[in-house]
């Protein structure tokens, strides 16, 4: 009996050698449509147009071509049922044994900044998912390929019926995973369009229904601890490239994300050192080497086993300095060849580059909770100093304002309760994750003392309001001359009065930056 394969793909990579093998090695007749058929003809591969097979012309700009009983009957007919086969014979329906379809590039289309709604709609595939689902439902008899990476596996299994049947079940699963994610992308896009409609108010960015279909891209050795299983899903490696070093761990990936978000706050050459997602030392300067010296001195223990991130190409000068200490990951837009040569001697060190600009502003954060997930927008709304209020009697100097801006950009990335002491474009002491804001302040002061960094003339930044004056008083006693905080406490008047009594500057930003 003649074996038939239907090929209709948007992504034509690897298709020609696969099609040749089907015809020359396995005796298939090829059915195809549009651009796929033209490609096969150009390559001298015999192919029958679907419209010639069905006797029904392709029409409506290609919207109607494979939605036909001779296609879906050939896919859905059960070979083990006499009535199915009799009906197929009566109506001239031949069996289709193999379907190779990948879908219109809807996700890629709507990701373009200039995409129109009309173009997005035209890139919604109808016939493709229908054929895939029909073939996948009848995978006991039909092989279905939605991923070009499976071409070689299918060809290898064709000589072994048992292996082919086992593979068909796996390929059917991939089909339903793909069509599910495809439908989810369409629904998400349309939901956003509805939310943007002028008569429906402001877009929220939070979907009414959350439907996630993310491919597993890496099975991790373990999670946060060796007894926890873990895997990475999604498109992380579309954003980063690993140049060398050991496989990334669960904790590395979380730290890399935190480091990338933090470094995005700064324009001047900046170095940030993080440990367990918390900034330990951050500085901006005229060169990365100068910035490193100021960031490193904030906490000379933190880089050991930590993450280092910079916002400019790293050269050999800084690479030579950093190579003297042990760290887990270094992230940069790029590394010079000389820097790469230096780091190549540290085989386990993970070097990461960022691929272009990250879509960080559009990302949302999710956390698993009992019975579901929480979703929120990332904390990316810009802080404008022009919107801040100086509530103290004394006005800040230019240098104090620059220090407060810098400290405020850092403190939003520190786990709450968060306190950052800073000078002009450098951290001096960081206190993170304590149950009391006063305790965070004490830790920050202690860290600065350990580093030999005097806090006289420093500023203090707090991610949330000072609930009592005691936190501000402790900062003043440590040497701070200015404080930046959201404000909003019922005791704001007491805190402002304490600042005025000590001739401190007090700035209210009106925006809290809790980070749990």
């Amino acid at each position: 009996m003649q074996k038939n394969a239907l090929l209709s793909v948007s992504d034509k990579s690897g298709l020609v050698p696969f099609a040749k093998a089907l015809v020359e090695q396995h005796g298939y007749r090829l059915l195809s449509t549009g651009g796929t058929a033209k490609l096969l003809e150009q390559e001298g591969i015999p192919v029958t147009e679907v419209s010639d097979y069905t006797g029904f012309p392709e029409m409506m700009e290609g919207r109607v071509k494979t939605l036909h009983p001779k296609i879906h009957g050939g896919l859905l007919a059960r070979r083990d049922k006499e009535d199915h086969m009799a009906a197929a014979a009566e109506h001239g329906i031949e069996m289709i044994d193999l379907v190779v379809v990948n879908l219109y590039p809807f996700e890629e289309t709507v990701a373009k900044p200039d995409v129109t709604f009309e173009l997005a709609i035209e890139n919604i595939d109808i016939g493709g998912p229908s054929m895939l689902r029909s073939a996948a439902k009848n995978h006991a008899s039909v092989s279905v390929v939605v991923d070009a990476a499976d071409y070689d596996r299918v060809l290898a299994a064709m000589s072994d019926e048992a292996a082919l049947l086992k593979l068909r079940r796996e390929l059917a699963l991939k089909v339903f995973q793909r069509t599910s994610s495809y439908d989810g992308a369409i629904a998400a896009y349309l939901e956003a369009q509805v939310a943007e409609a002028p008569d429906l108010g402001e877009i929220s960015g939070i979907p009414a229904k959350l439907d996630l279909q993310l491919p597993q891209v890496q099975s991790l050795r373990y999670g946060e601890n060796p007894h926890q299983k873990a895997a990475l899903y999604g498109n992380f490696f579309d954003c980063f490239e690993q140049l060398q070093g050991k496989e990334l761990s669960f904790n590395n990936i979380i730290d890399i994300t935190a480091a990338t978000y933090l470094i995005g706050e700064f324009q001047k050459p900046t170095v940030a050192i993080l440990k367990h997602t918390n900034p330990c030392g951050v500085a901006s300067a005229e060169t990365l080497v100068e910035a490193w010296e100021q960031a490193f001195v904030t906490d000379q223990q933190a880089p050991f086993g930590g993450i280092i991130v910079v916002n400019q190409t790293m050269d050999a000068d800084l690479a030579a300095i950093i190579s003297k200490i042990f760290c887990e990951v270094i992230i940069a837009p790029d590394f010079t060849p000389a820097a790469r040569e230096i780091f190549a001697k540290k085989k386990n060190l993970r070097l990461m580059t960022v691929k272009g600009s990250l879509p960080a502003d559009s990302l949302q954060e999710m956390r698993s909770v009992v019975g579901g997930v929480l979703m929120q927008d990332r904390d990316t709304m810009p802080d404008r100093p022009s919107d801040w209020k100086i509530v103290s009697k004394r006005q800040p100097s230019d240098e104090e304002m620059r220090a407060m801006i810098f400290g405020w950009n850092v403190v939003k990335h520190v786990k709450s309760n968060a306190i950052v002491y800073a000078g002009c474009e450098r951290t001096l002491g960081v206190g993170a994750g304590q149950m009391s804001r006063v305790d965070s302040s004490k830790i920050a002061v202690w860290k600065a003392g350990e580093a030999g960094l005097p806090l006289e003339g420093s500023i203090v930044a707090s991610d949330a309001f000072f609930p009592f004056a005691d936190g501000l008083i402790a900062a003043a006693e440590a040497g701070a001359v200015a404080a930046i905080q959201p404000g909003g406490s019922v005791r704001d008047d007491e805190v402002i009065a304490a600042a005025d009594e000590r001739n401190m500057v007090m700035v209210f930003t009106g925006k809290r930056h809790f980070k749990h």
Side-chain angles (χ1 to χ4, degrees), residues 379 381-384 408 463 485-487 508-513:
D379 187 5
M381 187 178 293
D383 289 285
R384 300 183 182 88
W408 191 243
D463 65 331
Q485 57 139 320
F508 282 3
T509 66
K511 188 184 298 181
R512 189 182 72 186
H513 286 303

Side-chain angles (χ1 to χ4, degrees), residues 251 254-255 258-259 262 274-279 307 413-415 515:
N251 293 335
I254 292 175
D255 284 334
L262 170 62
L274 296 89
K275 195 71 167 286
H276 305 310
T277 75
N278 275 309
I307 308 291
H413 296 273
V414 179
K415 290 291 182 70
K515 189 173 180 63

Side-chain angles (χ1 to χ4, degrees), residues 204-206 363-365 375-380:
S204 69
I206 303 296
L363 289 180
Q364 286 152 338
E365 297 174 325
M375 174 181 278
Q376 68 171 355
D377 294 331
R378 279 213 323 110
D379 187 5
T380 57

